[in-house]
Amino acid sequence: MTSTRHIPVLSEEVLKFLACRGDGIYIDATLGGGGHARMILEATSPGGTLIGIDRDLNALETARESLADYRERAKLIHGNFRDLKEICQKLGVTEVRGILMDLGMSSDQLEKTHRGFSFNFPDDPIDMRMDESTEFTAADALNGLSERDLRDIFWRYGEERWAAAIAREIVTTRRRYPFRRVGDLVGAVKRAIPAKARHGRRHMATRVFQALRIYVNGELEALEQGLESGLSLLAKGGRMVVISFHSLEDRMVKQAFNAAKREPELFGGKRFSVLTRRPIRPSEGEIQANPRARSAKLRAIERNLT
Ligand SMILES: C[S@@+](CC[C@H](N)C(=O)[O-])C[C@H]1O[C@@H](n2cnc3c(N)ncnc32)[C@H](O)[C@@H]1O
């Protein structure tokens, strides 16, 4: 998998808020296929350096190919942005001018990796690990967690209305056979929910898939850590831009930015200004051209000069 199908979201806005200069160090903490990274590299020519991070080795390989022309100025790293501080420490980097996080999944992960992220491929294994070097898969969760834990995951991370019924159906089903394929899970969701709930605007399994993915990949814990580390790495005048795709993530970003602004003692007296009072949303035109952009929300923050 070396070419990307992923269209970068809110790209003009990302560049505007990062306010890139032709020098300094920038981090793309969610490299994906390298779409935003390429734009940052172009905007920071000739002297800017980009540190690109992704926890998915396939994404890294794709980005390595698509950013080959910028090899001299791009350091691409397999890692989790949860460990941003340690990653920077290893590179000898103490301050950066800009950080981008474009959360969630890339179109490549959904459509090309066949690791069970999409309910559209019933024969795929239910794996859902973004980083295949980790151990715990979505199938392990479905076959091993208690009914109560499953219900809590669907409710908390998916805001799934039928969480309890779906968890019950999963536990009943797995007494007969273990969950292995995407189709097994879609079937259980279908059996658990009322017939009238099966044909909404969104696929009936959307929320359950989202919830399991967030749980298996520890996405909210990583975001919490990544935001904190990112804010602590910003140089004076440096900026952090985060694009999120669901309300749990957006709430965390909003709260982390507001806390940094209100409580300078959190970051050793450093002061911050939030640049987006409300989140920036994609235009209708962008959503039409790229439906994946529909739920995107961008927030940005700047470390003050003084
Ligand atoms: C929406 S895509 C990024 C697309 C990219 N901005 C582009 O324009 O091509 C999100 C990427 O972030 C990666 N990712 C998600 N959580 C991560 C984490 N905690 N650490 C590192 N990478 C992560 C995913 O593997 C995925 O490749």
Side-chain angles (χ1 to χ4, degrees):
M1 190 179 73
T2 44
S3 67
T4 181
R5 281 189 203 165
H6 186 87
I7 306 170
V9 167
L10 288 166
S11 42
E12 275 175 31
E13 293 80 357
V14 165
L15 283 187
K16 178 183 139 202
F17 281 103
L18 277 180
C20 295
R21 306 190 320 200
D23 60 0
I25 302 174
Y26 292 79
I27 298 178
D28 183 343
T30 51
L31 192 57
H36 286 122
R38 166 184 287 274
M39 293 170 25
I40 295 170
L41 280 158
E42 277 164 13
T44 56
S45 170
T49 302
L50 178 98
I51 301 172
I53 302 169
D54 205 293
R55 67 198 295 190
D56 184 335
L57 271 177
N58 280 308
L60 213 63
E61 192 191 320
T62 307
R64 197 157 274 140
E65 186 102 342
S66 74
L67 302 177
D69 290 348
Y70 301 93
R71 206 170 299 141
E72 318 262 286
R73 295 198 288 121
K75 293 189 205 315
L76 306 189
I77 290 166
H78 181 226
N80 188 324
F81 61 58
R82 186 187 60 199
D83 306 318
L84 206 51
K85 260 191 208 147
E86 292 76 9
I87 293 171
C88 285
Q89 235 162 36
K90 270 196 196 141
L91 296 170
V93 169
T94 51
E95 280 197 337
V96 300
R97 289 224 44 89
I99 301 176
L100 171 66
M101 285 184 179
D102 174 21
L103 301 170
M105 310 271 301
S106 70
S107 307
D108 298 331
Q109 285 170 321
L110 271 171
E111 294 162 25
K112 289 166 76 181
T113 59
H114 296 290
R115 279 189 243 143
F117 293 116
S118 166
F119 39 72
N120 290 324
F121 301 105
D123 295 328
D124 287 356
I126 318 180
D127 181 320
M128 293 198 190
R129 286 169 303 163
M130 286 187 186
D131 179 350
E132 288 176 284
S133 66
T134 58
E135 295 273 307
F136 190 75
T137 69
D140 293 332
L142 292 169
N143 293 318
L145 294 181
S146 67
E147 180 178 332
R148 191 183 176 156
D149 284 347
L150 287 168
R151 183 198 65 195
D152 288 351
I153 289 168
F154 300 149
W155 177 247
R156 191 167 333 137
Y157 300 143
E159 292 167 330
E160 168 59 61
R161 186 175 166 200
W162 306 105
I166 295 168
R168 197 172 319 122
E169 179 59 32
I170 287 169
V171 171
T172 308
T173 303
R174 76 187 187 197
R175 286 194 198 111
R176 285 181 281 132
Y177 57 86
F179 283 80
R180 287 210 179 91
R181 308 263 153 218
V182 162
D184 300 336
L185 178 56
V186 175
V189 172
K190 188 170 176 191
R191 288 191 298 281
I193 66 177
K196 63 174 177 1
R198 290 179 194 152
H199 307 288
R201 194 171 57 85
R202 300 208 294 179
H203 188 284
M204 61 186 162
T206 304
R207 290 169 183 278
V208 165
F209 272 67
Q210 172 191 302
L212 263 182
R213 194 201 80 214
I214 290 176
Y215 175 74
V216 166
N217 293 290
E219 291 181 31
L220 298 184
E221 296 82 356
L223 180 58
E224 191 175 7
Q225 279 273 312
L227 288 169
E228 207 238 279
S229 302
L231 287 165
S232 71
L233 281 164
L234 288 183
K236 285 185 179 165
R239 292 178 167 200
M240 181 166 189
V241 175
V242 184
I243 305 173
S244 64
F245 289 86
H246 57 77
S247 52
L248 291 172
E249 289 171 342
D250 182 55
R251 207 174 306 144
M252 283 180 70
V253 179
K254 180 177 162 184
Q255 284 170 358
F257 283 8
N258 284 341
K261 177 184 152 193
R262 290 206 194 106
E263 301 167 54
E265 63 279 8
L266 286 177
F267 294 95
K270 294 176 187 172
R271 298 195 169 268
F272 295 87
S273 302
V274 176
L275 304 174
T276 45
R277 209 165 57 83
R278 289 166 196 280
I280 308 295
R281 311 289 309 261
S283 65
E284 269 311 308
E286 174 167 2
I287 294 170
Q288 262 179 19
N290 181 16
R292 213 188 68 85
R294 181 177 302 281
S295 48
K297 288 184 181 164
L298 178 151
R299 293 185 189 267
I301 191 166
E302 181 179 62
R303 180 172 160 204
N304 294 359
L305 287 171
T306 51

